[in-house]
């Protein structure tokens, strides 16, 4: 039996690498309203950041005329993050294992390791990557009040 996902957040970003920090802040604030601890939130933010970065660079080719759409939803005890770009879309090629000093090619590996499920599809003119994460045991189904706290931790600390 499939549980229907209920989108509780969605946002469009221009395909400009300068918005990456805005995306991280937006997602961290969303996770802060759920029962995610730092370790759990890190998994979601890092995997979603890779998908977002791929959508900017490889999907839309950093064309500011194109958008990257993000949807965050809950389906039962799963958090789903969908990231879509307006590029032509193509499934990733089977890649070799990334090396320690490789400067690219780790995104799909990271997404597969961090997310509980990953799927890709073309839908309504967008190429979507959907990441699914099991909700933590502490999840109650209720949102925390937004008290102005930014993010859930220092997930972004190494980024430029």
């Amino acid at each position: 039996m499939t549980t229907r996902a209920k989108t509780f957040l969605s946002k469009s970003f221009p395909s400009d690498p300068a918005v990456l920090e805005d995306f991280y802040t937006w997602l961290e604030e969303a996770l802060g309203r759920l029962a995610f601890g730092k370790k759990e939130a890190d998994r979601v933010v890092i995997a979603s950041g890779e998908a977002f970065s791929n959508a900017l660079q490889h999907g839309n080719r950093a064309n500011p005329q194109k958008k990257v759409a993000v949807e965050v939803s809950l389906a039962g005890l799963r958090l789903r993050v969908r990231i879509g770009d307006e590029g032509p879309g193509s499934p990733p090629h089977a890649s070799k294992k990334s090396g320690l000093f490789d400067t690219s090619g780790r995104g799909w590996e990271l997404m597969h390791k961090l997310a509980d499920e990953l799927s890709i599809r073309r839908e309504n003119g967008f190429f979507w990557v959907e990441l699914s994460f099991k909700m933590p045991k502490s999840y109650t189904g209720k949102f925390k009040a937004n008290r102005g706290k930014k993010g859930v931790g220092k997930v972004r600390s190494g980024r430029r």
Side-chain angles (χ1 to χ4, degrees):
M1 183 168 128
T2 305
T3 305
R4 186 177 167 101
K6 180 179 179 192
T7 300
F8 68 89
L9 279 176
S10 64
K11 186 169 181 169
S12 248
F13 295 86
S15 286
D16 178 350
V19 304
L20 194 55
E21 193 68 23
D22 294 338
F23 165 74
Y24 283 119
T25 300
W26 178 80
L27 184 58
E28 288 172 346
E29 287 174 357
L31 295 175
R33 296 182 62 208
L34 297 169
F36 277 86
K38 181 179 175 1
K39 184 177 178 180
E40 296 157 328
D42 284 356
R43 284 182 46 214
V44 175
V45 171
I46 292 168
S48 300
E50 287 296 332
F52 189 88
S53 180
N54 283 350
L56 282 173
Q57 295 174 336
H58 304 297
N60 290 344
R61 305 267 187 231
N63 178 346
Q65 306 300 347
K66 294 184 177 185
K67 300 284 183 204
V68 176
V70 183
E71 297 174 355
V72 180
S73 61
L74 292 170
L77 293 176
R78 293 224 175 237
L79 175 78
R80 292 190 179 141
V81 179
R82 285 178 19 120
I83 298 175
D85 63 63
E86 296 180 275
S90 63
H93 302 288
S95 61
K96 62 174 179 48
K97 273 269 206 220
S98 297
L100 180 62
F101 298 107
D102 290 350
T103 56
S104 67
R106 289 197 192 121
W108 283 105
E109 257 182 76
L110 276 172
M111 285 185 265
H112 277 283
K113 286 184 182 191
L114 295 173
D116 295 309
E117 292 178 16
L118 184 146
S119 64
I120 54 176
R121 71 177 49 96
R122 166 116 356 241
E123 180 183 299
N124 299 328
F126 279 80
F127 185 76
W128 292 94
V129 171
E130 181 176 300
L131 304 164
S132 177
F133 304 89
K134 293 176 188 167
M135 292 299 292
K137 291 178 183 171
S138 58
Y139 177 65
T140 64
K142 296 180 181 175
F143 291 103
K144 295 178 185 176
N146 188 357
R147 299 207 167 118
K149 183 181 174 190
K150 298 230 176 196
V152 293
K154 295 189 180 216
V155 176
R156 296 178 285 147
S157 64
R159 297 190 193 107
R160 296 179 196 185

